[in-house]
């Protein structure tokens, strides 16, 4: 699902126009499932929104990659104790063109903010000020915490379909949301 969802982000024109800015694809707690910046179309960068994770988040490579010259132009700070660096976060969800989030069935139907993923909470708050975010792609993602071990270990099509029908195999939705005003 993560590879499929990032493939749904529309590509920008090859030749950037004057005044074009980099578009942000943001995520909260799903940052560790982001495969690589190679999966983002040109003109896009990954942005982080604050989440329950309070460690150090990755930082994009500079044009020099991992060479020594990269250290002199590196934005932000690093530490060797995995402490949170707040310079990794985007200013607000409204600056994101797209948001990627994993949504469980329970969270789709819940109205309580405590049960809603953090990115969705940010989007709901933004919806009060601006137009609603829209879901443009969604892919099933096996919920390991609510699916029996044998169903996770072995994929036997008939057995798997039976598990879906009787409710023992559970899926979440790995969803891409689009900001309607960017």
């Amino acid at each position: 699902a993560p590879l499929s969802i990032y493939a749904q982000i529309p590509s920008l024109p090859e030749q950037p126009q004057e005044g074009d800015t980099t578009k942000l694809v943001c995520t909260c707690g799903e940052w560790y499932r982001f495969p690589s910046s190679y999966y983002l179309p040109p003109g896009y960068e990954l942005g982080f929104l604050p989440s329950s994770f309070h460690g150090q988040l990755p930082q994009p490579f500079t044009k020099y990659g991992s060479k020594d010259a990269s250290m002199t132009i590196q934005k932000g700070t690093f530490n060797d104790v995995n402490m949170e660096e707040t310079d990794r976060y985007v200013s607000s969800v409204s600056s994101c063109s797209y948001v990627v989030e994993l949504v469980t069935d329970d969270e789709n139907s819940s109205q309580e903010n405590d049960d809603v993923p953090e990115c969705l909470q940010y989007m709901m708050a933004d919806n009060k000020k601006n137009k609603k975010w829209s879901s443009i792609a969604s892919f099933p993602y096996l919920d390991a915490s609510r699916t029996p071990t044998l169903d996770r270990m072995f994929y036997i099509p008939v057995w798997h379909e039976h598990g879906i029908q009787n409710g023992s195999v559970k899926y979440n939705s790995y969803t891409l949301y689009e900001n309607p005003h960017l």
Side-chain angles (χ1 to χ4, degrees):
L3 294 178
S4 299
I5 207 75
Y6 287 101
Q8 300 302 309
I9 298 169
S11 294
L12 295 173
E14 290 294 323
Q15 297 297 322
Q17 304 298 317
E18 188 173 323
D20 280 356
T21 59
T22 301
K23 294 187 178 278
L24 288 173
V25 177
C26 297
T27 188
C28 290
E30 289 302 303
W31 67 269
Y32 61 93
R33 286 193 182 110
F34 177 66
S36 165
S37 58
Y38 293 112
Y39 289 92
L40 290 178
Y44 288 93
E45 285 183 6
L46 184 67
F48 301 109
L49 292 162
S51 70
S52 57
F53 175 74
H54 296 291
Q56 187 165 226
L57 291 166
Q59 186 166 339
F61 282 106
T62 66
K63 64 182 178 181
Y64 300 111
S66 58
K67 296 179 182 171
D68 288 339
S70 182
M71 296 306 288
T72 60
I73 63 168
Q74 194 73 41
K75 298 176 193 170
T77 56
F78 283 96
N79 63 70
D80 60 355
V81 288
N82 200 27
M83 297 291 291
E84 181 176 32
E85 296 290 349
T86 57
D87 62 355
R88 304 291 196 282
Y89 299 122
V90 297
S91 57
S92 75
V93 72
S94 59
S95 62
C96 302
S97 299
Y98 298 94
V99 169
V100 175
E101 186 62 88
L102 182 67
V103 183
T104 66
D105 291 337
D106 294 337
E107 291 161 341
N108 278 330
S109 60
S110 175
Q111 296 299 318
E112 296 294 322
N113 257 9
D114 293 344
D115 296 336
V116 177
E118 291 145 324
C119 278
L120 296 185
Q121 290 180 35
Y122 295 136
M123 289 188 296
M124 287 189 298
D126 191 50
N127 286 344
K128 293 176 183 172
K129 299 180 222 166
N130 302 303
K131 293 182 180 179
K132 291 190 177 259
W133 287 74
S134 58
S135 170
I136 60 169
S138 187
F139 292 93
Y141 193 83
L142 187 71
D143 186 339
S145 67
R146 299 187 306 155
T147 300
T149 304
L150 285 176
D151 289 305
R152 294 190 324 252
M153 289 173 54
F154 304 107
Y155 178 74
I156 301 169
V158 174
W159 186 4
H160 186 79
E161 290 302 319
H162 182 268
I164 291 172
Q165 289 173 359
N166 74 19
S168 65
V169 174
K170 304 282 186 185
Y171 279 90
N172 296 325
S173 298
Y174 208 73
T175 308
L176 177 66
Y177 296 92
E178 181 177 37
N179 187 341
H181 46 275
L182 277 185

